[in-house]
Amino acid sequence: MATGLFCLPLAVLLLMQYRWLTHMETVNREAERANMSHYLDIVAEKTENHYRLLAAGLVQVPADLLTGDLAPILLHYRSIPREKLAPVSYLFHMSFVGDRDRETYLFDPQTGDWAAQVPDSYYKKVNLAGIHWWAWHQKKLDGAPEGLVTSHYLPNQPIIMHLIPDENGEVIGLAGMVLDDDYFGRFLADIVPDTLNATFPGRGMRAEVLDGTDVRRLETETIGAIESEDKVVRPFSWVFQDWRVAIHRNGGRTSGLAETTVMANGLVSLALAIILALGVLFSMRTAVNYRQLSDMKSDFVSNVSHELRTPIASIRVFSELMRDGKIGSMEKVVEYGTVIEQETRRLGGLIENILDFSKIESGQKQYVLEETDLVGLAEAIVQGFEQRPDLAGIRFARTFPEQVPALPLDRGAIGQALFNLLDNAIKYGPATQTIEVGVRLEETRASVWVKDQSGGIPVHERERVFDRFHRVHTGAVHQVRGSGLGLAITKHIAEGHGGRIALTCEEGVGSCFEIYLPFGGKERGCRAEKTGAVG
Ligand code: ADP
C-alpha cells in the first residue's frame, strides 16, 4: 500500500521527466541541425566569394580587345601571372561583333597559347554556353545581366562568364573561364575543416564533399560511427552546383538520451521503492511481534496470578478447617494435610520457574556441574510424582539402562527440567494414562525423555512451544493452567549443558520430549522433529 502510494507519484514524475527530456532532445536536435545548415551556408558563401573574386580579375576583358584580331587578347591573357591562373582549366572569349560565325577561342594557361587539342564535346559545351548569350544578344533582349554569370554545361567544371559591354552599354561579346575541379578540391580541403573547427570547436562533427558523380572528394577525420539521421547535406549554390557538401554528427547519438536517463532513474526509483517496501514490512513485522509479546506478557500475568491464587485459596481453606478443630477423623487430617503439601509444592515449583526465568532473562543464570547419577535423579523425580495421591490414575513406565556413568550435570537444573516435562505430561495428558520415562545412553551423549498420551502438539506450534510465555490456545489444552515458562526454561537448561531439547510428536497420540546431554562437547540448538517416537 505504502509502496503503491510512493510508486504512483514516482511513475508520474518519471513520465513527466521522459516527456520533458524527449522535448529537449527534439529542440536540441533541431538547434544542432540549424547549426549544421549554418555551417554549410558558410562553406557555400566562402566558395562563392572566392570565385567571384577570382573571376573579377580574370574574365573582365576590356571591350576594345574584342576587335576580331586575336593577337591583342592573347597578349592580354599572357600578361596574367601564371599563379593567378591555377583555378582555371581554360580562359575563353567570344565576340558578338560583325557577321562572322560565332567562334569560341580557348586559352590554355598550361601552354600560354590558344588551346590546340580541346576534346570536341568539351569545346561544344563551352561554345554552347557562349552561344546562349549571343542568342540572347541577337534577340535584342533588354537588360544585359551585370557582373558574372555561370553555366553548368560541363559537369564538374562549371563556367564563369562576363558579358562585355562597349562604351554605349551594348553587349559586344563575352569572356569566361572553365574552372579546374582539382583546384576546387584543394580549395575545399582548406576551408571545409577550418570552418568546421571554427563553427563546432571540440564537438564531434565530420564533413565530406561529393562531386557531381558522387565521388567523395574530401572527408574530414572520421571518429566513430555515423548516424545518418544526424546528417545535413546541401549543394553548392553558385559554381559547382552539382557538388554537395555534407556534415554529420560524428558518433554518439543525441537521441535516446531521454530513454537512458529515464531508465536509470526508473531503476534507482525501483530500488528505493523496494527498500521502502522492505522497511514497511520490517516495521510491520516488528509491530506485530511487539504486539504478540505484549499480549503474551499480559496472558502470563493473568495466568500466574490465577496459578498463585488457586493453591493459596485451597491452603487457606484447609488450614482454617484444621485450626478451628472442625476435622472429625484422622484420615481427614491426613487428606487435608496432603492437599496443603501438594499445593505448597506446586507453588514452590511455580516460584522456582519464575525466579529461574528472571535469572535467565538477566543473564545471571549459571549452572554448577557436579558428577550426577542421571538414572538416580530421574528415579527420584518420578517417585515424587508417584507418591502424589491425586495422580492415582497415572502409571509411570521406566526405561532406564543398567549402568550409566556419572555425568557432569547441574543436578537441581536437570531435576527441574525433568519435573517440568513430567508436570506437562500430567497436565496436558488424560487423568488416566501411562507416562513413559527413560534414560538413553549413546556413544557421545546421554538423554532423558518423557512420552505421554496427551493429544500431542499441533505441527505448526512445535517450534513455538519453546518460546517464553507461549501457550497453545487450541483444543482442550488451553483449559489447563500454566505460565508458558516451563519449556523455555527446560530448553535453556538443556542448552546450558551444551545439549538441546527435541520434540517428537505424533499428533493425536502423544507428546515426546527428549533432552540430549553430550558428555563433553556441545550440541546446541533446539529442534522439533517431525516423526518417530522416542524410546
Ligand atoms: P505451561 O505448561 O506453563 O503453559 P510450558 O512452557 O511448559 O508452559 O508449555 C508451553 C505450552 O506447550 C503449553 O501451554 C502447552 O500448550 C504445550 N505443551 C507442553 N507440554 C505439552 C504436552 N506434554 N502435551 C501437550 N502440550 C504440551
Side-chain angles (χ1 to χ4, degrees):
M1 173 73 174
T3 318
L5 283 176
F6 177 71
C7 284
L8 192 69
L10 208 70
V12 173
L13 270 180
L14 282 174
L15 193 72
M16 281 167 63
Q17 188 189 46
Y18 177 74
R19 292 192 59 178
W20 170 247
L21 282 173
T22 42
H23 173 70
M24 288 304 291
E25 230 173 61
T26 313
V27 171
N28 203 22
R29 197 162 40 234
E30 277 165 12
E32 189 158 74
R33 287 181 77 83
N35 267 351
M36 288 156 98
S37 297
H38 178 61
Y39 162 77
L40 298 180
D41 289 345
I42 295 174
V43 171
E45 199 180 301
K46 280 187 175 176
T47 306
E48 183 172 339
N49 288 344
H50 181 73
Y51 276 96
R52 279 190 184 279
L53 216 63
L54 283 174
L58 295 173
V59 297
Q60 286 187 353
V61 175
D64 54 2
L65 293 181
L66 293 181
T67 55
D69 183 2
L70 291 179
I73 201 161
L74 184 62
L75 277 179
H76 169 75
Y77 285 147
R78 283 180 176 165
S79 69
I80 301 171
R82 198 63 187 274
E83 64 276 7
K84 280 198 170 181
L85 292 171
V88 300
S89 298
Y90 297 102
L91 291 174
F92 65 89
H93 75 277
M94 179 184 279
S95 172
F96 301 164
V97 183
D99 300 330
R100 285 176 300 131
D101 286 343
R102 300 301 125 206
E103 187 113 14
T104 307
Y105 295 95
L106 286 108
F107 173 78
D108 185 347
Q110 299 292 326
T111 59
D113 209 339
W114 298 118
Q117 289 182 328
V118 181
D120 208 27
S121 63
Y122 190 101
Y123 176 80
K124 272 185 188 159
K125 281 176 181 165
V126 176
N127 201 26
L128 207 59
I131 292 291
H132 168 82
W133 290 111
W134 176 78
W136 172 85
H137 165 75
Q138 283 297 100
K139 287 183 189 162
K140 302 280 182 218
L141 294 173
D142 283 342
E146 282 179 18
L148 304 164
V149 289
T150 59
S151 161
H152 290 271
Y153 286 118
L154 283 178
N156 284 339
Q157 282 179 300
I159 299 165
I160 301 177
M161 290 169 291
H162 177 228
L163 298 182
I164 303 166
D166 62 8
E167 64 270 17
N168 303 321
E170 192 176 337
V171 175
I172 55 166
L174 62 83
M177 60 187 194
V178 179
L179 301 185
D180 180 58
D181 64 336
D182 284 342
Y183 172 85
F184 184 53
R186 290 196 298 280
F187 165 74
L188 291 176
D190 274 347
I191 65 150
V192 166
D194 286 357
T195 314
L196 192 68
N197 288 338
T199 317
F200 299 99
R203 305 242 309 269
M205 290 290 178
R206 191 188 78 122
E208 64 178 339
V209 176
L210 301 170
D211 70 13
T213 56
D214 273 346
V215 171
R216 185 175 283 125
R217 298 304 267 291
L218 171 76
E219 190 177 17
T220 58
E221 194 186 353
T222 307
I223 314 160
I226 294 169
E227 292 293 328
S228 56
E229 58 175 308
D230 291 337
K231 171 180 175 178
V232 183
V233 189
R234 64 162 287 176
F236 287 91
S237 50
W238 195 53
V239 288
F240 293 98
Q241 282 182 18
D242 50 350
W243 286 43
R244 283 153 295 140
V245 57
I247 177 168
H248 311 258
R249 155 165 289 285
N250 199 4
R253 279 155 52 95
T254 49
S255 60
L257 193 73
E259 282 94 337
T260 320
T261 313
V262 170
M263 183 73 85
N265 285 355
L267 284 177
V268 171
S269 309
L270 191 72
L272 280 177
I274 290 172
I275 291 170
L276 189 80
L278 288 178
V280 169
L281 263 176
F282 181 74
S283 314
M284 278 168 64
R285 264 190 61 168
T286 312
V288 167
N289 284 349
Y290 182 78
R291 177 77 198 270
Q292 277 177 348
L293 194 67
S294 150
D295 285 353
M296 278 176 358
K297 276 185 178 166
S298 33
D299 277 1
F300 168 75
V301 171
S302 97
N303 285 338
V304 167
S305 316
H306 190 72
E307 281 238 42
L308 289 174
R309 201 181 301 127
T310 316
I312 287 173
S314 316
I315 292 168
R316 196 178 60 228
V317 169
F318 287 115
S319 48
E320 276 173 7
L321 283 173
M322 289 170 88
R323 182 199 62 199
D324 295 344
K326 289 184 180 166
I327 309 165
S329 66
M330 197 56 200
E331 288 88 58
K332 284 283 173 201
V333 173
V334 172
E335 186 190 329
Y336 293 168
T338 310
V339 172
I340 290 171
E341 191 216 335
Q342 281 161 7
E343 294 297 346
T344 318
R345 213 191 285 273
R346 209 157 86 198
L347 273 178
L350 180 64
I351 288 164
E352 199 70 27
N353 270 349
I354 293 171
L355 286 178
D356 263 5
F357 176 70
S358 118
K359 276 190 190 163
I360 288 169
E361 285 290 283
S362 62
Q364 287 172 358
K365 179 72 187 170
Q366 281 184 346
Y367 298 105
V368 182
L369 307 185
E370 55 189 326
E371 297 293 300
T372 307
D373 168 14
L374 184 58
V375 171
L377 176 65
E379 178 60 40
I381 306 279
V382 171
Q383 277 181 17
F385 280 100
E386 276 177 335
Q387 283 159 14
R388 280 171 51 178
D390 57 320
L391 304 180
I394 303 216
R395 204 173 73 77
F396 292 90
R398 299 158 173 84
T399 313
F400 294 151
E402 298 261 302
Q403 278 189 337
V404 176
L407 300 171
L409 304 172
D410 184 316
R411 193 181 161 78
I414 296 294
Q416 189 188 355
L418 190 56
F419 179 90
N420 285 343
L421 293 184
L422 287 167
D423 194 41
N424 279 351
I426 293 161
K427 274 198 300 187
Y428 300 111
T432 306
Q433 63 167 324
T434 298
I435 297 173
E436 295 174 45
V437 190
V439 169
R440 200 195 327 249
L441 208 57
E442 291 173 12
E443 226 169 275
T444 56
R445 62 184 182 181
S447 68
V448 55
W449 52 267
V450 173
K451 182 178 177 185
D452 62 37
Q453 292 176 344
S454 68
I457 296 176
V459 176
H460 64 276
E461 292 279 1
R462 290 179 192 177
E463 294 282 353
R464 302 193 61 203
V465 287
F466 296 101
D467 291 348
R468 57 199 180 150
F469 309 133
H470 186 78
R471 306 197 72 225
V472 178
H473 285 280
T474 52
V477 170
H478 77 281
Q479 311 285 5
V480 180
R481 286 177 293 154
S483 62
L485 292 180
L487 285 181
I489 292 169
T490 307
K491 180 184 164 198
H492 193 272
I493 291 171
E495 291 176 356
H497 284 76
R500 65 186 174 87
I501 182 166
L503 164 57
T504 53
C505 307
E506 283 170 17
E507 203 172 337
V509 176
S511 306
C512 317
F513 290 90
E514 184 159 14
I515 299 172
Y516 293 97
L517 300 163
F519 293 144
K522 293 213 176 282
E523 191 179 353
R524 293 236 159 254
C526 151
R527 198 156 51 87
E529 288 166 8
K530 277 192 182 145
T531 53
V534 174

